[in-house]
Amino acid sequence: MNLEQVRQAYASVAELYIELFGTSQQVHADDLAFIGRHLAGRPGTVLDLGCGPGHITDYLRSLGVNATGIDMVPEFIAHAQAAHPSGSYQLGSMENLAVANHSIAGILAWGSLIHLPPKDLDGVLAEFRRVMAPAGTLVLGLFVGDEVAAFDHKVVTAYRWPVDEFSERLARAGFTEVERLQRPSEGTHRPHAAIAAIATEG
């Protein structure tokens, strides 16, 4: 599995995905509160990486955040630009961010890392740390399991993580966890966690 395969998979279902998940009203209220609590009120630019249809980027902007949505699926970026014309959206990859070192106040990676093979996680987190300003905030959402394991996501293969192990990966990359939100499975929704972490000195 590589990011090009993930891009193609999402492009093939973009219209349905937008219909099912493309507004902030379709995001759990606890998740929106968690995202806002850690990313609102921060001076500087916040990147919403893997922004999809742009709905959470728009939510952040409604809170006064200077948020830019980045996604590798052209269909999502086109929709985001049409649905939220005052917003900032661009094509890009989280593996190679076109921004300067230590220039970003915050990063949201909400479900954006779930398709990343475990062997590739450290490299992406290192890229996040490269662009993050001192004490910048990283907020992410992931699927939870007792061990790192692949599963059949409806779009393309995804991975679940033990939350403690994911937090350890963040620490190795130079981030310190400051808050965690966990939610058990609900109906068709898998166990989920959110982590907020601060870029540490050094």
Side-chain angles (χ1 to χ4, degrees):
M1 181 59 56
N2 58 44
L3 287 183
E4 176 56 22
Q5 291 171 299
V6 174
R7 186 197 67 75
Q8 291 176 1
Y10 273 93
S12 71
V13 297
E15 189 173 328
L16 177 61
Y17 187 93
I18 290 165
E19 180 182 333
L20 293 175
F21 305 111
T23 70
S24 58
Q25 289 78 21
Q26 291 157 308
V27 180
H28 198 291
D30 291 347
D31 294 341
L32 290 178
F34 187 91
I35 291 166
R37 183 159 64 249
H38 290 283
L39 292 175
R42 298 196 64 82
T45 299
V46 170
L47 300 181
D48 180 5
L49 300 178
C51 68
H55 51 301
I56 302 183
T57 318
D58 187 63
Y59 169 73
L60 285 170
R61 292 177 67 85
S62 77
L63 300 178
V65 178
N66 179 22
T68 294
I70 297 177
D71 203 284
M72 61 183 174
V73 180
E75 291 84 352
F76 285 157
I77 294 299
H79 171 84
Q81 291 171 334
H84 313 293
S86 64
S88 174
Y89 299 93
Q90 60 194 51
L91 280 171
S93 168
M94 69 180 75
E95 290 187 312
N96 186 19
L97 296 168
V99 295
N101 293 351
H102 312 306
S103 63
I104 299 301
I107 289 175
L108 176 65
W110 198 253
S112 311
L113 302 173
I114 63 170
H115 302 294
L116 200 65
K119 66 181 179 61
D120 296 337
L121 178 64
D122 291 344
V124 169
L125 293 180
E127 178 69 350
F128 289 2
R129 186 64 184 82
R130 177 188 71 81
V131 305
M132 193 75 82
T137 300
L138 169 63
V139 176
L140 54 89
L142 65 150
F143 292 121
V144 176
D146 294 331
E147 60 183 6
V148 180
F151 67 92
D152 290 330
H153 185 273
K154 288 183 178 178
V155 180
V156 66
T157 300
Y159 298 85
R160 55 175 67 93
W161 285 80
V163 187
D164 287 343
E165 185 169 344
F166 203 100
S167 185
E168 288 171 9
R169 294 288 192 106
L170 290 172
R172 289 195 336 226
F175 293 96
T176 299
E177 180 181 335
V178 293
E179 188 181 357
R180 179 185 300 188
L181 172 71
Q182 288 189 247
R183 190 163 54 249
S185 57
E186 299 175 17
T188 60
H189 296 282
R190 297 178 179 88
H192 176 269
I195 298 175
I198 300 295
T200 47
E201 295 298 325

